[in-house]
Protein backbone atom coordinates (compact mmCIF):
# COMPACT_ATOMS: atom_id res chain seq x y z
CA UNK A 1 0.00 0.00 0.00
CA UNK A 2 2.84 2.36 0.81
CA UNK A 3 4.45 1.56 -2.53
CA UNK A 4 1.25 2.40 -4.38
CA UNK A 5 0.87 5.69 -2.49
CA UNK A 6 4.49 6.61 -3.19
CA UNK A 7 4.06 5.81 -6.89
CA UNK A 8 0.94 7.95 -7.05
CA UNK A 9 2.64 10.92 -5.37
CA UNK A 10 5.68 10.67 -7.66
CA UNK A 11 3.34 10.44 -10.65
CA UNK A 12 1.58 13.66 -9.67
CA UNK A 13 4.96 15.35 -9.17
CA UNK A 14 6.14 14.12 -12.57
CA UNK A 15 2.98 15.44 -14.21
CA UNK A 16 3.38 18.85 -12.58
CA UNK A 17 6.98 19.08 -13.86
CA UNK A 18 5.92 17.93 -17.35
CA UNK A 19 3.09 20.44 -17.61
CA UNK A 20 5.36 23.20 -16.37
CA UNK A 21 7.71 22.35 -19.24
CA UNK A 22 4.80 22.34 -21.68
CA UNK A 23 3.84 25.83 -20.49
CA UNK A 24 7.00 27.13 -22.17
CA UNK A 25 5.56 26.34 -25.62
CA UNK A 26 4.20 29.86 -26.03
CA UNK A 27 7.58 31.34 -25.13
CA UNK A 28 9.32 29.25 -27.78
CA UNK A 29 6.63 30.08 -30.31
CA UNK A 30 7.08 33.82 -29.78
CA UNK A 31 10.87 33.48 -30.19
CA UNK A 32 10.67 31.85 -33.66
CA UNK A 33 10.34 34.27 -36.57
CA UNK A 34 9.37 33.98 -40.23
CA UNK A 35 7.83 30.50 -40.05
CA UNK A 36 4.28 29.24 -40.41
CA UNK A 37 2.70 27.38 -37.51
CA UNK A 38 2.71 24.10 -39.43
CA UNK A 39 6.41 24.47 -40.24
CA UNK A 40 7.30 25.24 -36.63
CA UNK A 41 5.46 22.14 -35.43
CA UNK A 42 7.03 19.97 -38.15
CA UNK A 43 10.62 20.88 -37.36
CA UNK A 44 9.99 20.78 -33.62
CA UNK A 45 8.76 17.21 -34.01
CA UNK A 46 11.67 16.26 -36.30
CA UNK A 47 14.30 17.29 -33.77
CA UNK A 48 12.30 15.79 -30.91
CA UNK A 49 11.94 12.47 -32.74
CA UNK A 50 15.67 12.32 -33.53
CA UNK A 51 16.45 12.94 -29.86
CA UNK A 52 14.00 10.23 -28.86
CA UNK A 53 15.62 7.73 -31.24
CA UNK A 54 19.04 8.44 -29.76
CA UNK A 55 17.63 7.99 -26.26
CA UNK A 56 15.98 4.69 -27.17
CA UNK A 57 19.15 3.39 -28.85
CA UNK A 58 21.29 4.25 -25.81
CA UNK A 59 18.84 2.65 -23.38
CA UNK A 60 18.11 -0.44 -25.50
CA UNK A 61 14.42 0.37 -25.97
CA UNK A 62 14.22 0.16 -29.77
CA UNK A 63 12.47 -3.22 -29.52
CA UNK A 64 9.53 -1.44 -27.85
CA UNK A 65 8.61 0.13 -31.18
CA UNK A 66 7.08 -3.08 -32.54
CA UNK A 67 3.38 -2.54 -33.31
CA UNK A 68 1.26 -5.60 -32.63
CA UNK A 69 -2.33 -4.39 -32.24
CA UNK A 70 -4.67 -1.40 -31.96
CA UNK A 71 -2.97 0.28 -34.93
CA UNK A 72 -5.99 2.42 -35.75
CA UNK A 73 -5.90 3.97 -32.30
CA UNK A 74 -2.21 4.85 -32.65
CA UNK A 75 -3.04 6.57 -35.94
CA UNK A 76 -6.00 8.33 -34.29
CA UNK A 77 -3.76 9.51 -31.46
CA UNK A 78 -1.33 10.98 -34.00
CA UNK A 79 -4.19 12.82 -35.70
CA UNK A 80 -5.63 14.26 -32.48
CA UNK A 81 -2.16 15.26 -31.25
CA UNK A 82 -1.54 17.12 -34.51
CA UNK A 83 -4.89 18.90 -34.34
CA UNK A 84 -4.28 19.84 -30.69
CA UNK A 85 -0.88 21.41 -31.30
CA UNK A 86 -1.88 23.18 -34.52
CA UNK A 87 -5.09 24.65 -33.07
CA UNK A 88 -3.35 25.64 -29.83
CA UNK A 89 -0.41 27.39 -31.49
CA UNK A 90 -2.72 29.23 -33.89
CA UNK A 91 -4.91 30.33 -30.99
CA UNK A 92 -1.83 31.77 -29.26
CA UNK A 93 -1.30 34.04 -32.28
CA UNK A 94 -4.83 35.45 -32.03
CA UNK A 95 -5.66 35.59 -28.33
CA UNK A 96 -2.28 35.36 -26.58
CA UNK A 97 -0.60 32.71 -24.46
CA UNK A 98 -2.77 33.08 -21.37
CA UNK A 99 -6.21 32.64 -22.93
CA UNK A 100 -5.06 30.04 -25.46
CA UNK A 101 -3.57 27.91 -22.69
CA UNK A 102 -6.72 28.19 -20.57
CA UNK A 103 -8.91 27.22 -23.54
CA UNK A 104 -6.71 24.22 -24.23
CA UNK A 105 -7.50 23.04 -20.73
CA UNK A 106 -11.22 22.97 -21.13
CA UNK A 107 -10.30 19.33 -21.87
CA UNK A 108 -11.14 18.10 -18.32
CA UNK A 109 -14.82 18.79 -18.98
CA UNK A 110 -14.84 16.53 -22.01
CA UNK A 111 -12.70 13.86 -20.34
CA UNK A 112 -14.88 13.75 -17.24
CA UNK A 113 -17.98 13.33 -19.37
CA UNK A 114 -16.54 10.71 -21.73
CA UNK A 115 -14.23 8.58 -19.56
CA UNK A 116 -17.01 6.83 -17.58
CA UNK A 117 -18.58 5.73 -20.88
CA UNK A 118 -15.45 4.90 -22.89
CA UNK A 119 -13.07 3.82 -20.11
CA UNK A 120 -15.50 2.71 -17.40
CA UNK A 121 -13.81 4.97 -14.84
CA UNK A 122 -15.74 6.25 -11.83
CA UNK A 123 -16.67 9.88 -11.26
CA UNK A 124 -16.71 10.84 -7.59
CA UNK A 125 -18.10 13.91 -5.91
CA UNK A 126 -14.53 15.14 -5.37
CA UNK A 127 -13.82 14.82 -9.10
CA UNK A 128 -16.89 16.88 -9.92
CA UNK A 129 -15.99 19.54 -7.36
CA UNK A 130 -12.47 19.84 -8.81
CA UNK A 131 -13.89 20.06 -12.31
CA UNK A 132 -16.38 22.73 -11.28
CA UNK A 133 -13.67 24.87 -9.64
CA UNK A 134 -11.45 24.55 -12.70
CA UNK A 135 -14.27 25.38 -15.11
CA UNK A 136 -15.20 28.47 -13.08
CA UNK A 137 -11.55 29.54 -13.15
CA UNK A 138 -11.41 29.27 -16.95
CA UNK A 139 -14.65 31.23 -17.40
CA UNK A 140 -13.38 34.00 -15.13
CA UNK A 141 -9.99 34.21 -16.86
CA UNK A 142 -11.35 34.43 -20.42
CA UNK A 143 -12.33 38.08 -20.45
CA UNK A 144 -11.59 40.29 -23.50
CA UNK A 145 -10.25 43.74 -22.68
CA UNK A 146 -10.66 46.94 -24.65
CA UNK A 147 -12.72 48.09 -27.64
CA UNK A 148 -11.81 45.93 -30.64
CA UNK A 149 -12.25 46.67 -34.35
CA UNK A 150 -14.43 44.32 -36.43
CA UNK A 151 -11.34 42.55 -37.80
CA UNK A 152 -9.85 42.17 -34.33
CA UNK A 153 -13.14 40.81 -33.03
CA UNK A 154 -13.17 38.23 -35.84
CA UNK A 155 -9.60 37.16 -35.06
CA UNK A 156 -10.42 36.98 -31.36
CA UNK A 157 -13.45 34.80 -32.07
CA UNK A 158 -11.31 32.58 -34.33
CA UNK A 159 -8.72 32.27 -31.56
CA UNK A 160 -11.41 31.31 -29.03
CA UNK A 161 -12.84 28.71 -31.43
CA UNK A 162 -9.43 27.19 -32.13
CA UNK A 163 -8.63 27.18 -28.42
CA UNK A 164 -11.81 25.23 -27.66
CA UNK A 165 -11.06 22.88 -30.56
CA UNK A 166 -7.61 22.23 -29.12
CA UNK A 167 -9.30 21.33 -25.81
CA UNK A 168 -11.63 18.84 -27.47
CA UNK A 169 -8.85 17.14 -29.42
CA UNK A 170 -6.63 17.09 -26.34
CA UNK A 171 -9.39 15.32 -24.40
CA UNK A 172 -9.67 12.71 -27.15
CA UNK A 173 -5.89 12.19 -27.06
CA UNK A 174 -6.04 11.70 -23.29
CA UNK A 175 -8.78 9.08 -23.52
CA UNK A 176 -7.05 7.35 -26.44
CA UNK A 177 -3.85 7.19 -24.42
CA UNK A 178 -5.69 5.52 -21.55
CA UNK A 179 -6.86 2.84 -23.96
CA UNK A 180 -3.35 2.19 -25.34
CA UNK A 181 -1.22 2.49 -22.22
CA UNK A 182 -1.52 -1.16 -21.17
CA UNK A 183 -0.48 -2.38 -24.61
CA UNK A 184 2.45 -0.11 -25.47
CA UNK A 185 5.31 1.53 -23.59
CA UNK A 186 5.63 5.27 -23.02
CA UNK A 187 8.32 5.57 -25.68
CA UNK A 188 6.22 3.74 -28.27
CA UNK A 189 3.19 5.93 -27.51
CA UNK A 190 5.39 8.97 -28.03
CA UNK A 191 7.23 7.71 -31.11
CA UNK A 192 4.48 6.45 -33.42
CA UNK A 193 1.95 9.27 -32.98
CA UNK A 194 4.84 11.69 -33.63
CA UNK A 195 5.59 9.85 -36.87
CA UNK A 196 1.92 10.18 -37.86
CA UNK A 197 2.07 13.92 -37.09
CA UNK A 198 5.17 14.32 -39.24
CA UNK A 199 3.47 12.63 -42.19
CA UNK A 200 0.40 14.86 -41.82
CA UNK A 201 2.55 18.02 -41.56
CA UNK A 202 5.11 17.06 -44.22
CA UNK A 203 3.80 19.63 -46.78
CA UNK A 204 5.01 22.37 -44.41
CA UNK A 205 8.61 21.14 -44.55
CA UNK A 206 9.30 22.76 -47.92
CA UNK A 207 7.66 26.08 -47.01
CA UNK A 208 10.70 27.27 -45.07
CA UNK A 209 13.75 28.75 -46.79
CA UNK A 210 17.20 27.51 -45.71
CA UNK A 211 18.03 30.99 -44.38
CA UNK A 212 14.94 31.20 -42.17
CA UNK A 213 15.51 27.67 -40.92
CA UNK A 214 19.12 28.43 -40.06
CA UNK A 215 18.08 31.58 -38.22
CA UNK A 216 15.70 29.62 -35.98
CA UNK A 217 17.61 26.33 -35.75
CA UNK A 218 18.72 26.68 -32.12
CA UNK A 219 15.23 27.47 -30.87
CA UNK A 220 13.72 24.60 -32.90
CA UNK A 221 16.25 22.05 -31.64
CA UNK A 222 15.75 23.07 -28.02
CA UNK A 223 11.99 23.24 -28.54
CA UNK A 224 11.93 19.70 -29.90
CA UNK A 225 14.27 18.20 -27.32
CA UNK A 226 12.57 19.79 -24.32
CA UNK A 227 8.93 19.38 -25.34
CA UNK A 228 8.75 16.35 -27.63
CA UNK A 229 11.30 14.19 -25.81
CA UNK A 230 11.88 15.08 -22.16
CA UNK A 231 8.52 16.62 -21.26
CA UNK A 232 6.44 14.10 -23.21
CA UNK A 233 8.31 11.07 -21.87
CA UNK A 234 7.84 12.32 -18.32
CA UNK A 235 4.18 12.94 -19.05
CA UNK A 236 3.47 9.49 -20.49
CA UNK A 237 5.31 7.63 -17.76
CA UNK A 238 3.62 9.57 -14.98
CA UNK A 239 0.16 9.46 -16.55
CA UNK A 240 0.03 5.65 -16.33
CA UNK A 241 -0.77 5.82 -12.61
CA UNK A 242 -3.40 8.60 -12.66
CA UNK A 243 -7.09 8.48 -13.58
CA UNK A 244 -8.05 10.19 -16.83
CA UNK A 245 -10.22 12.80 -15.08
CA UNK A 246 -7.50 13.55 -12.53
CA UNK A 247 -4.83 13.71 -15.21
CA UNK A 248 -6.73 16.37 -17.11
CA UNK A 249 -7.38 18.47 -14.01
CA UNK A 250 -3.72 18.32 -12.89
CA UNK A 251 -2.76 19.42 -16.40
CA UNK A 252 -4.36 22.80 -15.60
CA UNK A 253 -1.00 23.61 -14.00
CA UNK A 254 0.15 24.38 -17.56
CA UNK A 255 -2.00 27.45 -18.26
CA UNK A 256 -1.26 28.85 -14.80
CA UNK A 257 2.49 28.44 -15.36
CA UNK A 258 2.08 29.81 -18.90
CA UNK A 259 0.53 33.00 -17.58
CA UNK A 260 3.36 33.36 -15.05
CA UNK A 261 6.10 32.80 -17.63
CA UNK A 262 4.35 35.15 -20.05
CA UNK A 263 4.52 37.85 -17.40
CA UNK A 264 8.13 37.18 -16.33
CA UNK A 265 9.65 36.57 -19.77
CA UNK A 266 7.40 38.31 -22.31
CA UNK A 267 6.18 41.02 -19.90
CA UNK A 268 2.52 40.31 -20.70
CA UNK A 269 0.09 42.14 -18.46
CA UNK A 270 -1.73 40.11 -15.82
CA UNK A 271 -5.23 41.30 -14.91
CA UNK A 272 -7.01 40.74 -11.60
CA UNK A 273 -9.63 38.45 -13.14
CA UNK A 274 -6.82 36.32 -14.59
CA UNK A 275 -5.41 35.83 -11.10
CA UNK A 276 -8.86 34.99 -9.77
CA UNK A 277 -9.31 32.39 -12.49
CA UNK A 278 -5.89 30.90 -11.82
CA UNK A 279 -6.73 30.65 -8.11
CA UNK A 280 -9.82 28.55 -8.91
CA UNK A 281 -7.82 26.36 -11.28
CA UNK A 282 -5.10 25.76 -8.69
CA UNK A 283 -7.76 24.91 -6.12
CA UNK A 284 -9.10 22.23 -8.46
CA UNK A 285 -5.60 20.84 -9.06
CA UNK A 286 -4.94 20.73 -5.31
CA UNK A 287 -8.25 19.00 -4.67
CA UNK A 288 -7.39 16.24 -7.12
CA UNK A 289 -3.68 15.79 -6.36
CA UNK A 290 -4.24 15.42 -2.59
CA UNK A 291 -7.08 12.95 -2.94
CA UNK A 292 -6.81 9.77 -0.91
CA UNK A 293 -7.88 6.40 -2.24
CA UNK A 294 -11.39 6.55 -0.77
CA UNK A 295 -13.57 9.23 0.76
CA UNK A 296 -16.43 8.76 3.20
CA UNK A 297 -19.77 9.53 1.62
CA UNK A 298 -18.45 9.62 -1.97
CA UNK A 299 -20.60 7.65 -4.34
CA UNK A 300 -19.65 6.81 -7.89
CA UNK A 301 -21.88 8.52 -10.39
CA UNK A 302 -20.96 5.91 -12.96
CA UNK A 303 -22.95 3.22 -11.04
CA UNK A 304 -25.89 4.56 -12.99
CA UNK A 305 -24.28 3.25 -16.18
CA UNK A 306 -23.41 -0.28 -14.96
CA UNK A 307 -25.19 -3.10 -16.76
CA UNK A 308 -26.11 -4.68 -13.44
CA UNK A 309 -27.58 -1.51 -11.94
CA UNK A 310 -30.64 0.31 -13.23
CA UNK A 311 -32.48 2.75 -10.98
CA UNK A 312 -36.23 2.29 -10.78
CA UNK A 313 -38.00 3.71 -13.81
CA UNK A 314 -34.85 4.02 -15.93
CA UNK A 315 -34.51 0.54 -17.38
CA UNK A 316 -35.27 1.62 -20.92
CA UNK A 317 -33.49 5.00 -20.93
CA UNK A 318 -31.81 6.21 -24.11
CA UNK A 319 -28.64 6.88 -22.10
CA UNK A 320 -28.34 3.22 -21.09
CA UNK A 321 -29.01 2.12 -24.66
CA UNK A 322 -26.25 4.38 -25.91
CA UNK A 323 -23.88 3.09 -23.23
CA UNK A 324 -24.59 -0.56 -24.05
CA UNK A 325 -24.05 0.14 -27.76
CA UNK A 326 -20.64 1.63 -27.04
CA UNK A 327 -19.68 -1.33 -24.84
CA UNK A 328 -20.25 -3.74 -27.72
CA UNK A 329 -17.30 -2.16 -29.54
CA UNK A 330 -13.55 -2.77 -29.05
CA UNK A 331 -13.44 -0.84 -25.79
CA UNK A 332 -15.46 -3.54 -24.02
CA UNK A 333 -12.54 -5.95 -24.10
CA UNK A 334 -9.97 -3.42 -22.93
CA UNK A 335 -7.52 -4.91 -20.44
CA UNK A 336 -7.20 -2.92 -17.25
Amino acid sequence: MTSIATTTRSSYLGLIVAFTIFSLSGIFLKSINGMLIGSIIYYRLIFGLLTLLVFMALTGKLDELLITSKKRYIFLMGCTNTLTIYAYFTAIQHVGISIAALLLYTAPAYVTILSPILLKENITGRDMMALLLSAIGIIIAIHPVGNFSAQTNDLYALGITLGLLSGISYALSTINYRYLRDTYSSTALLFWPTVVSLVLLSPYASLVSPGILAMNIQELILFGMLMTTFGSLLYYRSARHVKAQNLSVVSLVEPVAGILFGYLILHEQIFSYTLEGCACILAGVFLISTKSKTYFGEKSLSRYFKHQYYPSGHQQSLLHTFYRTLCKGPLKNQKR
Side-chain angles (χ1 to χ4, degrees), residues 61-75:
K61 296 181 179 293
L62 289 175
D63 59 333
E64 296 181 0
L65 296 181
L66 180 64
I67 300 179
T68 56
S69 61
K70 303 178 182 177
K71 299 177 182 179
R72 71 179 72 178
Y73 295 100
I74 292 178
F75 176 76

Side-chain angles (χ1 to χ4, degrees), residues 3-42:
S3 177
I4 295 175
T6 301
T7 300
T8 303
R9 285 195 296 269
S10 62
S11 296
Y12 279 117
L13 178 60
L15 286 172
I16 290 172
V17 172
F19 288 121
T20 302
I21 293 173
F22 293 153
S23 69
L24 295 170
S25 293
I27 308 299
F28 278 103
L29 187 63
K30 294 288 186 178
S31 67
I32 297 173
N33 301 307
M35 295 179 63
L36 297 174
I37 292 297
S39 299
I40 293 175
I41 298 172
Y42 178 84

Side-chain angles (χ1 to χ4, degrees), residues 8-300:
T8 303
R9 285 195 296 269
S10 62
S11 296
Y12 279 117
L13 178 60
L15 286 172
I16 290 172
V17 172
F19 288 121
T20 302
I21 293 173
F22 293 153
S23 69
L24 295 170
S25 293
I27 308 299
F28 278 103
L29 187 63
K30 294 288 186 178
S31 67
I32 297 173
N33 301 307
M35 295 179 63
L36 297 174
I37 292 297
S39 299
I40 293 175
I41 298 172
Y42 178 84
Y43 284 102
R44 189 201 90 164
L45 294 177
I46 277 285
F47 293 122
L49 190 65
L50 291 175
T51 306
L52 179 62
L53 281 173
V54 172
F55 168 79
M56 296 183 71
L58 293 176
T59 56
K61 296 181 179 293
L62 289 175
D63 59 333
E64 296 181 0
L65 296 181
L66 180 64
I67 300 179
T68 56
S69 61
K70 303 178 182 177
K71 299 177 182 179
R72 71 179 72 178
Y73 295 100
I74 292 178
F75 176 76
L76 178 62
M77 189 172 178
C79 293
T80 53
N81 285 353
T82 305
L83 179 59
T84 299
I85 300 173
Y86 192 92
Y88 174 48
F89 282 7
T90 307
I92 287 177
Q93 289 188 326
H94 297 312
V95 297
I97 297 174
S98 300
I99 293 179
L102 290 170
L103 288 173
L104 174 65
Y105 288 101
T106 54
Y110 316 123
V111 172
T112 301
I113 292 170
L114 293 175
S115 59
I117 299 175
L118 300 180
L119 298 179
K120 301 179 182 178
E121 292 185 345
N122 296 334
I123 301 180
T124 65
R126 193 178 181 86
D127 294 331
M128 296 303 296
M129 179 61 70
L131 174 62
L132 179 62
L133 283 171
S134 302
I136 291 174
I138 290 173
I139 293 173
I140 292 174
I142 300 173
H143 189 289
V145 177
N147 297 318
F148 296 154
S149 63
Q151 182 180 4
T152 303
N153 278 328
D154 290 341
L155 292 176
Y156 189 86
L158 176 61
I160 295 294
T161 302
L162 289 172
L164 291 172
L165 179 60
S166 69
I168 295 172
S169 58
Y170 179 58
L172 293 174
S173 291
T174 300
I175 293 176
N176 203 14
Y177 165 76
R178 303 294 289 189
Y179 179 55
L180 293 169
R181 66 176 183 175
D182 293 331
T183 304
Y184 294 102
S185 66
S186 301
T187 47
L189 290 179
L190 176 57
F191 181 87
W192 287 116
T194 301
V195 171
V196 173
S197 296
L198 285 172
V199 173
L200 295 175
L201 295 169
S202 57
Y204 286 96
S206 60
L207 299 181
V208 182
S209 66
I212 295 295
L213 183 59
M215 181 178 67
N216 296 292
I217 193 67
Q218 292 183 355
E219 288 82 1
L220 290 170
I221 291 175
L222 184 58
F223 199 7
M225 292 175 61
L226 191 60
M227 304 293 172
T228 306
T229 304
F230 180 72
S232 296
L233 275 178
L234 184 60
Y235 165 78
Y236 283 126
R237 292 186 176 183
S238 300
R240 288 179 176 273
H241 308 288
V242 179
K243 282 176 56 179
Q245 301 103 310
N246 300 358
L247 172 63
S248 295
V249 176
V250 173
S251 68
L252 292 169
V253 168
E254 181 176 342
V256 175
I259 292 171
L260 178 62
F261 289 139
Y263 172 75
L264 295 176
I265 299 175
L266 299 179
H267 307 293
E268 292 186 349
Q269 187 174 0
I270 298 180
F271 299 97
S272 59
Y273 55 79
T274 304
L275 295 177
E276 293 168 0
C278 287
C280 290
I281 291 171
L282 285 175
V285 172
F286 180 79
L287 196 62
I288 285 294
S289 61
T290 58
K291 186 175 74 169
S292 63
K293 187 174 182 181
T294 58
Y295 267 82
F296 178 77
E298 277 193 350
K299 295 183 179 179
S300 170

